[in-house]
Amino acid sequence: MGSIGNFHAVLDDTKCLAGKVPWWKDAVFYQIYPASFQDSNGDGWGDIPGVLSRIDYLHNLGVDVVWLSPIFESPQADMGYDVSDYQKIYAPYGTIKDVDALMSACHERGMKLILDLVVNHTSDQHEWFKESRSSKDNPKRDWYIWKPARYDSNGRRLPPTNWRGYFAGPTWTWDDLTEEYYLHLYAPEQPDLNWDNEACRKAIYENTMRFWLDRGIDGFRIDTVNKYSKRTDFVDAPITDPTSPHQPAPEMWCNGPRIHDFIREMRQEALAPYNAVSVGELSNTPDPAQVLPYVSAAAKELDMVFEFSTIRLGTGDGFGAKYIYQPFPLSRLKALTLTWQTFIEGTDGWTTVFCENHDNGRAVSRFGDTSTPEMWRRSAKTLALWQATMTGSLFLYQGQEIGMVNMPTTWGIEEYKDIESSRFYLEAAKSGDAARTEATVRGLQILARDHSRIPFQWDDSPNAGFTTADADPWMRVHDDYHDINVAKQTGDSFSILEFYRALLPLRKSYRHLFTHGMFRLLDPTNEALFTYVKEADSIPSGQKALVVLNFSREEQPCPDIALALKCVPLEVLLLISTLDQVSVGSHRPREVLEPWEGRVYVCSCK
């Protein structure tokens, strides 16, 4: 692992920050995709008892909060993001008692457990929707969004609007029984709830939130949190894709007219009485001025949100061209990091730090370098150092800590199981445009959600230790599991895993600089070096850190550390490096950064 210096410059900032900030600001969150984490019974499907069996692994890693992706009863049209019963567990995952046991195990270790809350829509198999579609005068009819058809001059039936959904195709599906269309921003199996209906909102708070909070769950990651309030005029979107009858229209449903009223009510009715933590998924909101109202402490809405400008680098327009890969320079990554690190300065808002989740390709395959095993190892550690020195609550995704990579490019499209990947590929193939189809396949090989969903690699036994040797995993195990797995990296001082195990406690020891510090980008146009200063504005000593990351496979000259920190050289010490051979604690920085090397220097000058 990268070495850590123990010297007198380390501040005991516990006295400085303890009691002044909510616990979740300093927490390390770890997202688990339950189907792919650990199978306990050999059916090829990960489960909650499997997560429980690995709880000490998470605790020893330095995790404070476990976040489970959807585990509720579901037909699995979209891997559990289509819930048919919020108070039952999808049987292959286990039972409510299994959730209780996992929650107790977390609490016994000083950890917390949060669940994924999906309430923009339900499954079309949910009892609410079954009632809603049963007749136009059913009491729950208005719990979903129904509209009559339009007709063209030839009498041909058309949807109420021309909106394109996130999974390709229209956002409206015709229902033969009641002869109206219902709205779904995602798949037809995921009808949108009507948040304008007060009875519907109250049922959401009671059945999907208080039920679990009463059992002791510590909070929620809240899916699609800014899509609850739709524009109610239901007008067509401008035609921006003349090749399609369905047009992108996020302005019709993101950050709508009543959204802040709804979220304040959700907090007041369900979150605040339990002191539950909330982190919202905030899509299509690239303007910091629009994000701040969601996370301002005074606004009393959400504790924090995920903003996706950085993690979506390389994607197309988010709709028809989403998987047409767009290369980007390092300067673009740095500019976005600057925006989303500084937008809360001078405010009472908070932010999140993440570069992986269940909806994107693996970070080391997108932002790092997998050209050789050595570049893979180095770049994964450098990305870890980048993330761990960022301001905000840190979120890790399963497998990130061992450098799991994207699916091999030799795998065929049949290995892609995700509904979004399948629909975008089929849309491209049906277009008859061979170049578009080829570009979509290339984009999927980099960006697809499937990459993050393959089974976790625990060891080099058959099926990577995810399930039994004779089981048939729901997704194919990666070909490289013999080389990338927990067992191989455990105890290896050069490994990515051991680097994370050393880095996470260091982040907490220096939380006044890393978690809470101010971000100052240096040399923004340099396309090889990512360099920035972190300053602690609330610490009397004026301590600062300089983070220097070589994002290239070539040696780079090291910046003048003392000049960047505005300290005399003898006040500067090397805190951590991604390379073991660097002398940690040295006052004299090496003049050259090796390929994909990262370092952090600190000084206590005023």
Side-chain angles (χ1 to χ4, degrees), residues 365-517:
S365 296
R366 298 176 59 214
F367 306 115
D369 187 339
T370 58
S371 60
T372 69
E374 180 63 16
M375 291 301 102
W376 158 77
R377 183 180 67 87
R378 289 186 177 208
S379 64
K381 291 163 74 172
T382 296
L383 293 176
L385 196 57
W386 167 47
Q387 292 291 285
T389 53
M390 292 285 101
T391 299
S393 297
L394 178 60
F395 286 76
L396 303 178
Y397 181 76
Q398 66 180 48
Q400 182 177 344
E401 75 276 16
I402 59 171
M404 285 183 65
V405 298
N406 278 357
M407 296 157 56
T409 56
T410 55
W411 287 10
I413 196 67
E414 70 277 0
E415 300 293 350
Y416 290 72
K417 308 299 184 184
D418 175 47
I419 185 174
E420 184 177 68
S421 298
S422 300
R423 293 195 177 200
F424 272 81
Y425 171 75
L426 289 173
E427 182 182 52
K430 287 179 179 179
S431 72
D433 185 336
R436 176 185 173 185
T437 303
E438 183 180 353
T440 299
V441 171
R442 286 200 305 270
L444 288 170
Q445 289 173 343
I446 301 169
L447 303 166
R449 307 199 300 182
D450 303 80
H451 297 300
S452 62
R453 302 179 180 191
I454 62 174
F456 192 96
Q457 294 156 210
W458 291 103
D459 55 42
D460 63 359
S461 65
N463 286 323
F466 160 69
T467 186
T468 56
D470 58 348
D472 183 18
W474 78 278
M475 280 193 79
R476 180 175 172 179
V477 173
H478 203 293
D479 296 346
D480 70 2
Y481 75 90
H482 290 282
D483 299 315
I484 303 177
N485 61 68
V486 169
K488 184 172 183 177
Q489 294 190 27
T490 298
D492 176 1
S493 62
F494 287 89
S495 74
I496 301 163
L497 176 60
E498 294 298 348
F499 186 71
Y500 267 97
R501 285 175 172 164
L503 186 57
L504 295 180
L506 188 71
R507 173 178 168 84
K508 291 181 179 179
S509 295
Y510 283 82
R511 56 188 177 272
H512 55 286
L513 284 176
F514 302 142
T515 308
H516 299 274

Side-chain angles (χ1 to χ4, degrees), residues 19-95:
K20 294 185 179 180
V21 297
W23 64 266
W24 40 264
K25 289 190 175 183
D26 292 305
V28 173
F29 292 72
Y30 186 98
Q31 182 186 0
I32 288 177
Y33 201 71
S36 300
F37 190 64
Q38 179 67 72
D39 172 24
S40 70
N41 59 8
D43 64 358
W45 188 272
D47 48 46
I48 299 166
V51 176
L52 180 59
S53 73
R54 298 293 187 175
I55 195 67
D56 285 328
Y57 166 80
L58 299 175
H59 187 237
N60 293 334
L61 178 62
V63 170
D64 300 300
V65 185
V66 174
W67 154 25
L68 290 182
S69 289
I71 55 173
F72 304 132
E73 184 68 68
S74 168
Q76 301 296 322
D78 183 22
M79 287 303 294
Y81 285 90
D82 50 318
V83 180
S84 56
D85 192 327
Y86 293 95
Q87 297 184 8
K88 292 182 180 179
I89 304 300
Y90 181 55
Y93 286 138
T95 66

Side-chain angles (χ1 to χ4, degrees), residues 126-144 146 177-178 180 197 199:
H126 196 289
E127 289 302 319
W128 294 348
F129 188 69
K130 289 180 179 180
E131 289 189 48
S132 182
R133 78 188 311 177
S134 65
S135 69
K136 290 183 179 179
D137 58 1
N138 185 276
K140 288 188 173 63
R141 179 67 171 184
D142 194 42
W143 284 33
Y144 294 82
W146 295 90
L177 179 63
T178 57
E180 283 191 327
N197 183 294

